[in-house]
Amino acid sequence: MAQTAEPPQELHFVQYNHSLEAQYLPAIRALISKDLSEPYSIYVYRYFLCQWAHLCFMALSPVDGSLVGVIICKLEVHAVHSTPTRRGYIAMLATASPYRGRGVATALVKMAIDAMAVRKADEIVLETEEDNLSAMRLYERLGFLRSKKLHRYYLNGNSAYRLVLLLRSVDPDSSPGLGEGAITE
Amino acid sequence: MADFGIGVPDELARLSLGNGAEQQASRAPDMNSAGIVAVDITDRFSLAVKTLEPGELVKDEFFTLFESVGALEIMDPKMDSGCIKPGDEFEELYDVRQPLLPEEVLGIIDQLICHEMSWHLGYPLSQTLFTSVYVEALSMPNPVGIEQAIFVRDPKDKSNDQPMLQVLRAYCLGLLKACGYVNERVRAEHSYEEEDFVTNTYNRTLLANVPTDAIRAAITEAKGLLQKLRSDSGHSYRAEVIDALEVRLELRDIFLQATECPQYIKEPNLAQIPWQQGISLLPALKSTHHLCKPVDDSFSAKLQRKLASTIPPRPIVQLGFDDAFENLTRLFQDGLEIIGVLQYTDTQCLQACVSALQSKKPQPLVYVRTLLQTFLFDAMEVLGSMSIRQLIDDDLSIITLPASPLLDRANDEIEVVHDPRFIVSQQMEFFRQRAAQPFLDILRTLCQNRCRVRRTLCHTVRAWDNLQVDAEEVDQVVQAQLKESPLSHMFLDATQHADSLPLSLSSWAYFYKLRQMEWIVQLGFELEVYQGDELAGMYWYLNYLAKCRLRHLERIKSFTVRRAEEIRALKTHENVYAGLQTRQLERSLSFVRLSLLDAAATWELSDALSCLYTVLGRLGLVKPPGRPYSNDEFRYELRMKPFASIGLPELPSFEDFTAGTKQPGTSTDDILEYCERSLMGAKRAFETMTRLPPAESFSVGSHERWLGTAKNALKSCIAAGLVVKTIQVALRKREKADLKFKVEIPTPDKAYHDWWLIPKLTPLP
């Protein structure tokens, strides 16, 4: 079993919804941009948050409700190669530095995986920087495998690994239906 | 080979793709038409917007992640390149007319070298060379001739005449022209925009309209100026600085010649000259770098505002001179080395050569890799003179069709449509056309970055799977024809039972398919795709593939041997081709001997390592993570995805894989003993390989590298043997407690060989 310490009991984990935008979007952007060489525009966040609010979770401080961690995902039918699959994608994950090493990120990833599994995701994928060993350890402890290495994937010239978690066997003969498009319930 | 991304970085990369050397300025549409009635919708729009919550997303189904990433927030200094901080100027105010000391020119030039190499490493011009005000002054407006390519665009302005500015100008001209050549080369061949190299020139032409001869003349002229200064005592310039400047101008001239080396594709000795000259000049560049006086002001990120691009402002790339110099040296060394491929011996030596070059660490720069592609494939000819048919026939004659009537060019002369030779000729031509692309793709694929090599192989292996099926059909038609034909005596034995049909073409395709499947797994080790607890399984699968290759090679060998016997029987009679045929057969026998050795070595060593990691797993020294969201079967499915659709060799069942990886019925002692024996076998095979001369190891042109790799594999066997011994001794001594070792699995850069990861055991107190 994952040997990560349980996240601090007192943290509140909240599913995002649009009514929280004014209160939390600036903090979400600030937390995520810290690790980015170039900030994403507000539309990148809204692209994810408005369509897949149910796949975005926040960890909040019980003291003042401030943002401690966040995960942002999407879930779509992916049909570029071969068999179409319902592919979940973890787009962004961040924990405020004072709270790192306490399992906050793991807890957020688990919530996202559970939410995507309920919505019948076949697989969940993400990319992580090749030298971000702690992120890779986190995902690999949960069951992700590195499927490929992506050369100079990031603007800073670093390469990435694509990590994949298979949630169900993908049968090439049964497809989830191409006409469905994005799942936006 | 398109692989569409799914993440934000993919979309960011796509953003800056669209570019031509010179773009048309966009114009507002012409609205003065009788059919168009303009209506002011401001009020209606304002009203409609009031019904929305702030931040609500209004979009159609075509608004994708790409569009959202493309949006910029105006007045955010990190996104809006036109946003000016209070008190700052919009324009870069550096004056290119100002007088410069020779040390300062040297400083600017060496900084330009750093930027040039950053560009070669994959950073865009916007963050490298195009941050130089001198480069900008020469580039814009686009000069249509050498006389316009001056820093101050007023020919009467006397500042242009300053000797130091003339030296700097000549350097920059040579630099930009060379970059133009490099960019053209990279665009012409296969590489990956953004991940390998950024060819975007943001509306600058890199002096496309200025002839190279004029630029070389300007460099010569500037060198003359320096020589004059050297003999002139009326200034206080230091002679060593003047010399250093001359070295740099000389290097520019040499680099320009080097970029033109593809014109000597038929004369490799001439093509090598500038690369050799560059290598001998480089030490003088490094030893004079300390004389530089940097002029940091002459580089500015603000120049990005002038570039035709919507991308946000990005910082100037900082590459140190030592790093840049190392890359520049590598560029020249690798450039020289790739010309070696032009010395063609045969297809297998060529593949070995390309493969050896590309597995160098670090991998040759993109420019060198694209230059290699030009040599290989330019103008539908291979290496400047061979047709693709020659290449394919040569390869077939090495692997499965030595001294074969199928490759007899005389078949092409037959015009009688019922003549079997006519049909054979037709079928073979059909097959060549079918096989050309996949066959050339092997070489093309090897020229890509290592991550792409593995990803591309996952696709090409399927193409070879299909090729094998088509090849089998051709094999059968050809077989049927030859049975009736005067050539049939050559195959009399072979047609006695279906099993003994040579099926030469499909057999050839199967051989390559197996090789590629092995490469995919081996590159997985090299690129650190597998986790520690997966190694037992992945070496087990590699062993499975090597076994298939070995068996297949034994089959190929039996036909080659039989063919040799047939030819020997004919020799004394009327066979005029005996000499040529015997040589071909000897070559094929050499090749099959080498391949058998390689397959056996791979079989034994992968077998041993699979066993070793199984034992480490059993002893709890390599532990799998908890993985609450996964199970062994799903991970097997995911791992084997590239191979699942391949018909032959069949994918082992999950049960077989588990049994092979866990070896439930076998004791740890027995596994270790077996492991030792396999290592001995692998060692013997590698040792035999290292003793083969270049011709017999099919490594003419790259023998040293090939030998180095084989010796490293041998070292891996020895290292693995020591680990096995250590465990055996510890197990014998062990009382009830667990073995106290720390196991480290080395990253490939710390292993003897990228593909053979030997665990390191450290005893714990």
Side-chain angles (χ1 to χ4, degrees):
Chain A
M1 290 310 288
Q3 50 287 82
T4 329
E6 280 300 302
Q9 286 295 313
E10 68 273 20
L11 284 185
H12 293 167
F13 287 88
V14 177
Q15 184 182 304
Y16 184 85
N17 67 67
H18 186 63
S19 66
L20 297 171
E21 179 175 304
Q23 194 183 351
Y24 284 111
L25 188 51
I28 292 176
R29 291 183 69 180
L31 190 57
I32 286 167
S33 329
K34 258 190 204 140
D35 302 329
L36 294 173
S37 51
E38 186 172 297
Y40 300 147
S41 79
I42 194 161
Y43 302 103
V44 176
Y45 293 93
R46 284 186 179 148
Y47 173 81
F48 287 105
L49 294 175
C50 293
Q51 297 185 84
W52 296 280
H54 52 279
L55 301 180
C56 166
F57 298 92
M58 301 187 291
L60 305 177
S61 154
V63 182
D64 54 2
S66 64
L67 188 76
V68 164
V70 65
I71 189 164
I72 295 176
C73 309
K74 66 172 176 173
L75 174 61
E76 284 178 300
V77 172
H78 176 85
V80 173
H81 296 305
S82 57
T83 320
T85 55
R86 286 179 58 83
R87 179 185 268 195
Y89 178 68
I90 299 178
M92 306 173 204
L93 170 67
T95 310
S97 42
Y99 290 86
R100 285 190 190 158
R102 292 163 66 177
V104 179
T106 302
L108 288 167
V109 173
K110 284 178 164 180
M111 294 173 88
I113 296 174
D114 290 338
M116 291 193 260
V118 165
R119 287 169 174 82
K120 300 195 167 34
D122 296 308
E123 56 179 348
I124 297 173
V125 309
L126 62 105
E127 293 92 26
T128 171
E129 265 183 73
E130 60 178 329
D131 50 12
N132 191 348
L133 297 181
S134 62
M136 265 184 295
R137 253 198 306 275
L138 185 164
Y139 289 113
E140 286 171 351
R141 272 202 296 255
L142 294 175
F144 284 81
L145 289 188
R146 301 177 203 181
S147 74
K148 54 180 100 165
K149 190 172 178 183
L150 310 161
H151 183 65
R152 287 183 64 89
Y153 186 72
Y154 294 103
L155 282 172
N156 61 13
N158 277 354
S159 296
Y161 283 102
R162 162 90 30 89
L163 273 76
V164 182
L165 175 70
L166 201 61
L167 290 178
R168 52 170 79 204
S169 184
V170 177
D171 181 356
D173 297 326
S174 75
S175 81
L178 274 170
E180 251 176 292
I183 308 300
T184 54
E185 79 258 39
Chain B
M1 290 192 213
D3 185 57
F4 297 101
I6 40 176
V8 177
D10 292 296
E11 304 301 9
L12 280 172
R14 276 174 63 204
L15 264 185
S16 46
L17 281 185
N19 71 94
E22 281 179 285
Q23 289 162 331
Q24 293 286 319
S26 69
R27 286 184 304 138
D30 185 7
M31 298 292 276
N32 297 322
S33 157
I36 295 174
V37 182
V39 179
D40 187 346
I41 59 162
T42 311
D43 291 341
R44 275 202 274 170
F45 183 74
S46 304
L47 198 65
V49 162
K50 286 201 181 96
T51 66
L52 293 171
E53 288 282 321
E56 205 172 311
L57 198 62
V58 182
K59 65 169 200 70
D60 62 18
E61 57 184 306
F62 303 110
F63 185 90
T64 64
L65 181 56
F66 177 63
E67 276 75 32
S68 72
V69 165
L72 295 177
E73 282 173 66
I74 304 302
M75 294 314 289
D76 179 335
K78 281 184 168 171
M79 285 188 232
D80 181 356
S81 61
C83 177
I84 305 151
K85 283 182 208 135
D88 199 4
E89 300 283 342
F90 182 83
E91 293 281 348
E92 178 50 53
L93 298 177
Y94 183 94
D95 186 359
V96 292
R97 272 175 299 207
Q98 68 190 60
L100 291 173
L101 291 170
E103 288 82 357
E104 289 173 325
V105 174
L106 206 59
I108 295 169
I109 287 178
D110 281 11
Q111 188 57 47
L112 288 170
I113 291 175
C114 296
H115 284 321
E116 186 181 7
M117 294 325 296
S118 296
W119 179 55
H120 274 276
L121 286 168
Y123 293 95
L125 286 167
S126 60
Q127 289 172 269
T128 56
L129 288 170
F130 286 178
T131 61
S132 158
V133 294
Y134 291 102
V135 166
E136 178 65 8
L138 285 186
S139 305
M140 289 310 265
N142 183 36
V144 292
I146 186 91
E147 61 291 337
Q148 285 189 14
I150 44 182
F151 291 135
V152 187
R153 289 299 171 93
D154 175 4
K156 287 189 218 104
D157 192 309
K158 286 280 174 269
S159 45
N160 281 320
D161 301 337
Q162 301 176 57
M164 282 305 120
L165 283 191
Q166 289 196 52
V167 170
L168 182 57
R169 167 184 177 254
Y171 184 89
C172 291
L173 290 175
L175 162 71
L176 288 174
K177 192 72 192 172
C179 290
Y181 278 122
V182 167
N183 213 44
E184 238 173 77
R185 174 75 45 224
V186 174
R187 276 189 182 171
E189 303 295 346
H190 196 283
S191 72
Y192 291 87
E193 181 72 28
E194 303 283 333
E195 80 174 41
D196 275 322
F197 196 84
V198 184
T199 59
N200 198 341
T201 60
Y202 312 95
N203 224 6
R204 272 95 182 120
T205 64
L206 297 172
L207 305 183
N209 302 324
V210 182
T212 309
D213 289 346
I215 288 175
R216 291 190 61 189
I219 292 175
T220 309
E221 213 175 296
K223 275 164 50 184
L225 266 176
L226 289 173
Q227 272 149 23
K228 231 186 270 163
L229 282 174
R230 201 178 282 130
S231 54
D232 180 3
S233 56
H235 60 76
S236 56
Y237 297 161
R238 290 148 72 194
E240 48 183 354
V241 181
I242 300 298
D243 291 346
L245 287 171
E246 198 175 350
V247 165
R248 282 151 180 79
L249 285 177
E250 178 68 25
L251 190 69
R252 276 300 24 139
D253 196 41
I254 289 171
F255 194 62
L256 269 180
Q257 294 173 57
T259 54
E260 290 183 319
C261 75
Q263 64 180 308
Y264 298 116
I265 197 163
K266 289 184 170 63
E267 295 157 285
N269 291 337
L270 284 181
Q272 283 177 341
I273 292 173
W275 300 100
Q276 286 161 339
Q277 288 174 333
I279 289 170
S280 51
L281 196 64
L282 282 168
L285 178 76
K286 179 154 194 178
S287 65
T288 50
H289 174 66
H290 69 280
L291 300 168
C292 284
K293 184 166 182 243
V295 186
D296 295 339
D297 292 356
S298 70
F299 296 88
S300 168
K302 279 187 187 174
L303 295 178
Q304 292 177 1
R305 291 174 185 162
K306 300 184 172 194
L307 304 177
S309 162
T310 55
I311 51 173
R314 288 175 187 165
I316 299 180
V317 175
Q318 304 291 346
L319 183 70
F321 183 78
D322 288 345
D323 273 354
F325 182 79
E326 208 171 287
N327 281 298
L328 182 62
T329 308
R330 213 154 58 77
L331 176 71
F332 272 95
Q333 285 166 344
D334 293 343
L336 179 65
E337 196 173 340
I338 56 156
I339 295 170
V341 302
L342 292 171
Q343 317 275 11
Y344 180 80
T345 309
D346 58 55
T347 48
Q348 288 305 314
C349 290
L350 177 65
Q351 281 178 17
C353 195
V354 173
S355 163
L357 264 164
Q358 295 303 331
S359 32
K360 274 179 74 168
K361 296 284 167 331
Q363 226 192 334
L365 290 166
V366 180
Y367 174 57
V368 173
R369 289 194 266 127
T370 47
L371 200 56
L372 176 58
Q373 292 180 50
T374 301
F375 288 153
L376 289 172
F377 310 110
D378 202 26
M380 286 311 283
E381 278 186 332
V382 177
L383 305 171
S385 59
M386 293 177 68
S387 68
I388 290 164
R389 171 176 184 168
Q390 273 175 295
L391 199 73
I392 294 180
D393 283 5
D394 195 23
D395 200 60
L396 285 166
S397 80
I398 294 175
I399 300 178
T400 55
L401 285 175
S404 166
L406 270 61
L407 299 178
D408 189 349
R409 291 242 173 187
N411 295 344
D412 301 352
E413 306 303 319
I414 310 295
E415 287 172 2
V416 185
V417 292
H418 300 302
D419 190 309
R421 286 170 297 172
F422 176 85
I423 297 168
V424 166
S425 162
Q426 263 198 329
Q427 288 289 318
M428 285 303 292
E429 190 45 31
F430 165 77
F431 177 72
R432 277 187 212 100
Q433 284 181 14
R434 177 70 183 77
Q437 193 63 49
F439 185 63
L440 294 180
D441 275 349
I442 291 181
L443 288 171
R444 184 79 84 179
T445 301
L446 284 175
C447 294
Q448 305 307 316
N449 69 60
R450 297 303 267 178
C451 302
R452 281 288 177 181
V453 173
R454 183 165 183 273
R455 293 169 67 181
T456 309
L457 285 170
C458 292
H459 297 284
T460 57
V461 72
R462 268 179 263 171
W464 280 85
D465 197 39
N466 294 332
L467 177 63
Q468 190 189 348
V469 174
D470 292 354
E472 209 167 312
E473 272 176 41
V474 179
D475 275 329
Q476 274 155 5
V477 175
V478 168
Q479 211 72 65
Q481 291 300 322
L482 288 176
K483 205 166 26 174
E484 305 298 326
S485 80
L487 305 169
S488 67
H489 61 274
M490 314 215 167
F491 289 99
L492 271 183
D493 291 345
T495 51
Q496 280 164 358
H497 351 214
D499 266 0
S500 59
L501 288 176
L503 299 172
S504 311
L505 301 177
S506 54
S507 169
W508 177 78
Y510 186 48
F511 171 76
Y512 273 108
K513 184 172 67 180
L514 284 169
R515 288 301 285 134
Q516 291 171 73
M517 292 172 81
E518 284 174 274
W519 287 337
I520 292 171
V521 180
Q522 287 163 328
L523 282 163
F525 296 116
E526 180 179 327
L527 297 171
E528 298 172 63
V529 167
Y530 310 127
Q531 288 165 47
D533 73 305
E534 288 186 272
L535 294 176
M538 294 323 291
Y539 280 118
W540 182 85
Y541 184 59
L542 178 60
N543 168 257
Y544 171 80
L545 293 173
K547 254 188 244 175
C548 293
R549 176 157 64 108
L550 193 93
R551 287 197 198 106
H552 184 56
L553 283 161
E554 272 161 358
R555 183 179 188 281
I556 290 175
K557 186 182 172 186
S558 67
F559 288 103
T560 306
V561 168
R562 181 179 310 173
R563 182 82 184 116
E565 282 161 6
E566 284 167 359
I567 298 289
R568 215 169 294 133
L570 279 177
K571 201 172 170 181
T572 45
H573 311 301
E574 70 285 355
N575 187 358
V576 287
Y577 301 114
L580 179 72
Q581 290 183 326
T582 309
R583 275 198 301 282
Q584 268 201 10
L585 280 158
E586 275 167 8
R587 189 171 68 157
S588 288
L589 287 169
S590 290
F591 180 74
V592 88
R593 193 179 313 126
L594 171 76
S595 298
L596 280 166
L597 272 173
D598 180 74
T602 307
W603 168 339
E604 301 274 25
L605 187 47
S606 54
D607 209 358
L609 290 183
S610 174
C611 288
L612 179 55
Y613 280 106
T614 297
V615 168
L616 293 176
R618 276 192 191 185
L619 297 173
L621 295 172
V622 171
K623 285 195 193 84
R627 296 177 175 138
Y629 286 96
S630 177
N631 64 45
D632 295 347
E633 204 162 351
F634 282 174
R635 284 197 313 284
Y636 181 68
E637 180 179 329
L638 186 62
R639 233 353 132 212
M640 295 298 159
K641 218 168 134 195
F643 313 109
S645 65
I646 302 298
L648 199 73
E650 210 182 340
L651 186 68
S653 70
F654 173 66
E655 288 69 29
D656 288 349
F657 172 80
T658 309
T661 310
K662 300 233 155 65
Q663 306 197 43
T666 316
S667 74
T668 300
D669 288 342
D670 287 352
I671 296 180
L672 285 171
E673 233 171 81
Y674 177 84
C675 181
E676 265 190 311
R677 280 200 303 278
S678 302
L679 285 172
M680 296 290 279
K683 213 173 133 224
R684 264 197 307 276
F686 282 124
E687 271 166 353
T688 315
M689 280 165 77
T690 55
R691 285 194 293 267
L692 292 175
E696 285 172 42
S697 56
F698 290 79
S699 61
V700 179
S702 61
H703 188 66
E704 240 171 87
R705 284 197 191 287
W706 179 86
L707 188 63
T709 309
K711 283 186 175 165
N712 284 337
L714 187 58
K715 281 185 202 158
S716 309
C717 295
I718 297 166
L722 294 174
V723 175
V724 172
K725 272 270 169 308
T726 310
I727 300 175
Q728 283 173 328
V729 170
L731 280 176
R732 248 171 259 142
K733 277 200 232 157
R734 152 167 98 160
E735 289 154 30
K736 269 173 198 162
D738 286 338
L739 290 194
K740 290 204 165 87
F741 285 110
K742 193 177 117 204
V743 174
E744 249 178 292
I745 298 164
T747 49
D749 56 322
K750 299 212 173 63
Y752 290 116
H753 193 294
D754 290 337
W755 297 348
W756 304 112
L757 306 178
I758 314 299
K760 204 178 144 212
L761 264 58
T762 324
L764 291 174

